[in-house]
Amino acid sequence: MTTKRPVFLDLTRIRLPVPGVVSILHRISGVLMVLALPVFAALFALALTGPDGFAAAAGFVGHPLIKLGLLVMAWALLHHLFAGLRYLVIDLGWGVDRPTARKTAWTALSAALVLTVAGAAVVAGGLLP
């Protein structure tokens, strides 16, 4: 049985709706967090070895590229949290209509970004001890 279905594989022209983008970013953020677990566990173990280990871990975390990676991980955690809560609410049957789904997707996306930037500003401004 052959059908004449259209094939549209030009990925540069496909426009994914916001709920789809949030879904893909939810998966990416989950993978990032799983991949970061061994690194965080190793840093934690190093910091617990004593004052020298703690200084080594603090020196590693103080590198600008590592700080950027920590910022990405903060975004991943927040995005995964808000998108996951959104999916739990959708699983309950609330907000499944298109306008509400778009609003909640924008809310999850923007809340994660805003809280990540706010957290970075707090840390960079020295507002935390």
Side-chain angles (χ1 to χ4, degrees):
M1 178 170 131
T2 60
T3 59
K4 294 252 179 190
R5 296 183 349 189
V7 177
F8 189 72
L9 296 177
D10 186 4
L11 296 178
T12 61
R13 294 180 51 196
I14 294 174
R15 183 153 191 252
L16 199 59
V18 176
V21 172
V22 169
S23 175
I24 290 171
L25 289 177
H26 182 72
R27 294 165 192 252
I28 291 171
S29 64
V31 168
L32 282 175
M33 288 189 299
V34 166
L35 293 177
L37 277 174
V39 176
F40 289 146
L43 278 173
F44 186 60
L46 178 63
L48 290 178
T49 59
D52 292 336
F54 183 82
F60 179 75
V61 172
H63 191 275
L65 286 177
I66 301 303
K67 285 184 179 181
L68 180 64
L70 290 173
L71 186 66
V72 169
M73 291 311 302
W75 166 82
L77 178 67
L78 290 168
H79 179 79
H80 204 76
L81 172 72
F82 291 129
L85 290 173
R86 175 181 179 264
Y87 292 130
L88 286 175
V89 169
I90 287 174
D91 286 345
L92 292 173
W94 302 332
V96 293
D97 57 306
R98 187 176 292 171
T100 307
R102 285 184 178 155
K103 287 178 190 174
T104 59
W106 275 112
T107 302
L109 192 63
S110 59
L113 285 173
V114 166
L115 286 178
T116 302
V117 170
V122 166
V123 171
L127 299 176
L128 288 179

